[in-house]
Amino acid sequence: MTNTFSTTDTDIVLTGDRATGPLHLGHFVGSLKQRVQLQANHDQTILVADMQGLTDNAFTSEKVSSNILNVVADYLAVGIDPSLTTICLQSHIPALAELTMYYSNVVSIARLERNPTVKSEITNKNFQRSIPAGFLTYPISQAADITAFNATLVPVGDDQLPMLEQTNEIVKKINTIAQAPILRSCHALLSDYPRLPSTDGKNKMSKSMGNTINLHASEKDIRLAVQSMYTDPNHLKVEDPGSIEGNVVFTYLTAFHSDQDYVDQLKQQYQKGGLGDGQTKKILEECLQEIIKPIRDKRQLYLDDKAELIRLLKEGNQKANATANTTVQRVRASFGLNILEY
Ligand code: TRP
């Protein structure tokens, strides 16, 4: 799969992550790598989405609050450079909450209930009718996140496409009300791996299911995760031909190994027979150990200086608030509610 849209230098980039846990390899190939590349020649903002994290954690808010700085350290450790990218904290940008309120009036409950990502989350979390209003409406708040910064390009995994579709619907409605293009529509930047499979090959990566490899995984975590990876269940003897389809070890080798010609050779050998899972897992483990070690080490250094991480967030928020405040003024004015601003 290739990127569905090309980028231009004039694209404004915004993306975010729910601060409900440390980031993992899925985030890394799905979006973080693109962000590191984009920051060189784009205006880029990254939002630590703590308020969105609260939408299903109001009574377990520690899960969110304790992860905010972890996520910032993850960003820095993979190479997000705060002198090139604005890193900011959602809860401290009041204009985002205001925009959410204005946008709520142009979105129906039925439309919210149709969002396929939210729909499957509601089923997975077994909310039934007790779904928090904030959870059902988080796509509106995400539209606020995106439009507040005039973003046109959003690097995300494919599960986020419904949020972008809803954002663009809101943009159209507000622009119709304003009778002017005061908001910009956006598009996704999908990676070649918009959805890396979990280590068990079954589900989407999810920390709670224990099928992820975190960006700060220890040597032992990495070893155990690779050893338990799903391969071809019919590949019983080394001599047997094996299948690479759905074989998580090969998916990861394709996503992460620096020498893809070598990976192609391994694939051929595996399919012919004569290459054992122990061997392919050993190659993958080495490759992942090499990628994760420097990230893990840097992340720890950043976490050792929490005051500096907080300073960075404050600096980012100052910039983010300035931009978001300008957007909310335009939206307020489009409803004629700017009478105190004369
Ligand atoms: N929904 C995203 C996630 O699940 C987080 C997020 C919040 C986001 N606001 C955003 C992503 C704006 C892209 C743009 O991690």
Side-chain angles (χ1 to χ4, degrees):
M1 189 171 181
T2 50
N3 295 335
T4 45
F5 292 91
S6 58
T7 80
T8 64
D9 290 0
T10 52
D11 268 316
I12 296 181
V13 183
L14 175 117
T15 190
D17 302 277
R18 278 186 203 176
T20 49
L23 303 183
H24 52 62
L25 286 180
H27 295 109
F28 186 66
V29 288
S31 158
L32 292 170
K33 273 169 85 171
Q34 287 81 310
R35 301 181 203 180
V36 172
Q37 282 171 6
L38 287 166
Q39 68 184 348
N41 50 359
H42 289 82
D43 170 346
Q44 174 168 263
T45 301
I46 300 182
L47 194 69
V48 181
D50 55 346
M51 290 226 286
Q52 189 177 111
L54 266 195
T55 59
D56 61 339
N57 284 297
F59 299 97
T60 45
S61 60
E62 161 77 11
K63 191 174 158 196
V64 178
S65 57
S66 65
N67 273 303
I68 292 171
L69 296 185
N70 290 340
V71 170
V72 178
D74 281 333
Y75 291 155
L76 300 177
V78 298
I80 303 286
D81 176 348
S83 71
L84 300 173
T85 296
T86 305
I87 303 175
C88 57
L89 185 62
Q90 191 185 29
S91 61
H92 286 61
I93 306 169
L96 297 179
E98 286 183 53
L99 283 172
T100 303
M101 281 301 280
Y102 288 121
Y103 296 170
S104 299
N105 303 315
V106 300
V107 183
S108 72
I109 299 284
R111 176 63 183 93
L112 289 165
E113 287 174 341
R114 266 203 315 274
N115 182 308
T117 298
V118 175
K119 225 164 142 175
S120 70
E121 283 174 309
I122 292 174
T123 313
N124 292 343
K125 293 173 201 281
N126 203 16
F127 276 139
Q128 299 180 3
R129 290 305 297 168
S130 59
I131 173 172
F135 191 85
L136 187 65
T137 55
Y138 89 71
I140 305 181
S141 124
Q142 193 155 332
D145 299 341
I146 295 168
T147 53
F149 301 101
N150 310 305
T152 52
L153 190 66
V154 188
V156 277
D158 61 359
D159 60 314
Q160 297 296 304
L161 293 177
M163 310 303 162
L164 272 54
E165 196 182 318
Q166 268 196 282
T167 299
N168 286 339
E169 287 171 21
I170 292 172
V171 166
K172 260 199 195 140
K173 287 184 179 164
I174 298 290
N175 285 346
T176 303
I177 291 168
Q179 296 183 321
I182 62 164
L183 299 179
R184 297 171 81 180
S185 55
C186 64
H187 59 257
L189 180 68
L190 293 175
S191 77
D192 291 344
Y193 290 90
R195 205 177 290 210
L196 194 70
S198 55
T199 51
D200 53 17
K202 286 197 190 104
N203 290 298
K204 190 188 158 185
M205 282 195 152
S206 156
K207 202 171 40 69
S208 54
M209 289 191 272
N211 58 16
T212 62
I213 302 179
N214 289 332
L215 290 175
H216 71 286
S218 68
E219 256 177 62
K220 189 176 163 205
D221 290 342
I222 298 169
R223 192 172 58 246
L224 293 179
V226 173
Q227 273 170 8
S228 72
M229 263 184 191
Y230 183 82
T231 58
D232 173 4
N234 299 316
H235 184 235
L236 298 175
K237 285 193 248 126
V238 173
E239 315 83 75
D240 290 343
S243 168
I244 55 168
E245 188 78 18
N247 186 321
V248 179
V249 174
F250 276 102
T251 311
Y252 275 57
L253 280 170
T254 312
F256 293 103
H257 203 283
S258 57
D259 184 350
Q260 287 300 312
D261 289 340
Y262 176 58
V263 174
D264 285 344
Q265 280 171 24
L266 292 176
K267 282 181 187 167
Q268 279 173 16
Q269 206 187 338
Y270 191 84
Q271 286 169 310
K272 232 175 33 200
L275 181 60
D277 288 315
Q279 188 62 24
T280 56
K281 285 183 172 177
K282 194 167 154 250
I283 297 164
L284 176 63
E285 193 208 317
E286 270 170 28
C287 151
L288 294 183
Q289 295 285 12
E290 207 172 295
I291 292 173
I292 291 177
K293 185 182 184 334
I295 300 178
R296 180 175 64 224
D297 292 349
K298 275 190 221 153
R299 180 185 192 269
Q300 192 51 53
L301 288 178
Y302 289 118
L303 281 175
D304 286 343
D305 189 356
K306 295 217 164 68
E308 173 60 11
L309 294 179
I310 290 168
R311 194 196 62 76
L312 277 177
L313 275 180
K314 279 188 177 166
E315 199 175 79
N317 269 45
Q318 221 165 30
K319 232 177 120 187
N321 270 310
T323 313
N325 285 340
T326 319
T327 305
V328 82
Q329 261 172 15
R330 284 203 305 273
V331 172
R332 203 187 287 129
S334 75
F335 291 104
L337 302 182
N338 53 335
I339 55 170
L340 301 188
E341 282 154 31
Y342 290 116

